[in-house]
Amino acid sequence: MYDATIIGSGPAGANAALEAHDLGLKVLIVDEQRDAGGQIWRVKSKSILSAPSTEASIKGDALRERLKQSSIEVKFETRVWHIDKNEEKNWIINLVSKDGSHSVLSKALIIATGAQERVIPVQGWTLPGVVGLAGATALFKEHMMVPGKSTVVAGSGPLVFFVASEVIRLGGSVAAVVSINGFSDWIKALPAMVLNPKLLWQGIKWIGDLYLKRVPLYWRHGIRSFEGLGHVVGVNVRKANKKWYLRHDPNIFIAADSVCYGHGLMPSIEASRLAGAVHTYEPALGGWVPFTDENGRTTVPYLYVCGDNAGILGAQAAPHRGRLAAYAMVEDLNETLPEDLLAKRKAEKKLLKWASIFGKAATGLSILQPGAGGLISKQTEVCRCEGINRLEIEKEVKTGALSPNAVKSGTRCGMGPCGGRFCSESMALITEQATGKTRAEIGLPTARPPLRPVAMDEIAKDLNYDDLPIPGVSPL
Ligand SMILES: Cc1cc2nc3c(=O)[nH]c(=O)nc-3n(C[C@H](O)[C@H](O)[C@H](O)COP(=O)(O)OP(=O)(O)OC[C@H]3O[C@@H](n4cnc5c(N)ncnc54)[C@H](O)[C@@H]3O)c2cc1C
């Protein structure tokens, strides 16, 4: 039995684990990646270990070293696929790794599963050569690879410019940058971003470099369609307005053999939903988030959340949120918090407040505007696991399926291997447009395991079909 299990070893989860361990708890940290660092400080693959260090790799290496020096138990390349409670109200955390599945028991649980990217489906988005913006950063950090010879980078928020600058740094060529944000959106975000001059300067440098390299920059434009047969060969782009509606102008075609495309990040809430926490819809924080107090306590006893899964505030805020969740957990387990930790907590809250101002301004650039749903044309495949397009979802809504559960059972949208992680956002966008209801009114589909794909024989293990009770004949 562990005092605390932490799911996710990014900046939030790893700092929560280190703090809880320093305060004397028996801690387990689980992550599906090969090592700690999460998305931002992702560990390099073995083939690029000798590559020059970057700020992210230096910070990641330092974090990994601290974890190695501690006696925190770690389980990497291990996925959490189910979360439950036993009769004594301890958490049962079901894990699957290459060695099979097993479960661990824990008094408290911190969920630090980070974010996932939001990609609004547009005609042709499933063509090979089209990758998510955030997914592309994983390609750069882990393998130092670029997605193609000539890349269009498109979407919203700061990742657009980071990805474009990385493609160039790693030797690729950027055919164009297509930002649905206008330059004026960035100017509006400036006052908040000034609070973090280092990151602001980095952003200015990314954009400045693109101008210097004469990369065509389409401000306030959106992708109408991805073109190609068997592989992407380019994109059709149109001017948009502030609300993300594309104008009825002629298409501008930009040739490219790869496209990095995305619209910001959404909190990864599957685990906190499965654990029973109440969630609310907060567009300023990236979408649905667990309802918490200022320390990351959820509505479920001994369940805490920290990092981007508790609302997209970015990597600067994540370590502070991790430590605050650790303090809350120690306070609940020990029924008190020593005087010196009260002072530390106060200091962490202050630092978090500053980091959050920058984080919210960056997230604000990807708040979905009313035209977002309109980017998905009738024939666009929305659920790529089950091959369901917009028209099929609309038909289902029009015949009375108003909740995500009803649309799901009527169409199979969200029933594939991804468990709806990618398509439920688009399904909600379409329902929103078709019914005029708000996201909060539409709600979420029921949370169900598995959080990650798991083989049936791993779950069934010792099950003998002959042991199943056969119900008797029911009385007439
Ligand atoms: C793909 C991607 C790329 C990003 N790239 C950048 C970037 O380049 N620059 C930037 O500023 N921000 C980037 N972000 C945002 C960045 O992730 C966060 O701001 C920061 O890493 C948040 O830290 P965190 O600890 O909250 O989450 P993360 O760093 O995301 O860590 C969460 C961890 O939880 C693990 N996890 C999740 N679910 C499970 C499960 N069921 N079982 C086991 N482990 C699980 C993940 O493997 C991950 O290591 C990216 C986000 C994504 C989704």
Side-chain angles (χ1 to χ4, degrees), residues 7-14 30-33 35-42 78-81 112-117 133-138 141 159 162 265-266 268 270-271 306-309 312-316 318 321 421 451-452:
I7 312 176
S9 65
V30 183
D31 201 299
E32 60 190 349
Q33 294 200 45
D35 209 335
Q39 300 294 356
I40 182 131
W41 301 334
R42 180 176 277 270
T78 303
R79 296 170 156 186
V80 175
W81 69 269
T113 45
Q116 65 173 78
E117 65 180 323
L133 266 182
T137 70
K141 288 177 191 170
L159 271 183
F162 172 60
L265 302 168
M266 303 182 293
S268 283
E270 322 95 79
C306 57
D308 275 0
N309 50 297
I312 310 295
L313 293 179
Q316 301 287 315
R321 297 170 99 185
R421 270 191 298 151
L451 292 176
R452 292 289 187 271

Side-chain angles (χ1 to χ4, degrees), residues 1-5 20-21 23-28 71-73 106-108 329:
M1 163 87 82
Y2 296 96
D3 294 322
T5 296
H21 171 260
L23 294 170
L25 299 192
K26 186 178 175 203
V27 177
L28 168 71
S71 55
I72 295 173
E73 203 175 312
S106 188
K107 290 182 199 162
M329 179 177 63

Side-chain angles (χ1 to χ4, degrees), residues 8 58 60 147 149 190 197 210 259 263 301 306 348 384 387 391-392 440:
I58 293 169
K149 286 186 180 143
L190 266 183
L210 292 171
V259 186
H263 298 88
C306 57
E348 288 293 347
R384 59 199 304 179
L391 205 58
E392 290 168 89

Side-chain angles (χ1 to χ4, degrees), residues 118 120 244 263 281 283 366-370 372 425 429 439:
R118 176 166 44 213
I120 299 176
W244 295 13
H263 298 88
Y281 190 70
S366 290
I367 293 179
L368 292 181
Q369 298 301 313
E425 174 75 359
L429 270 175
R439 278 308 185 82

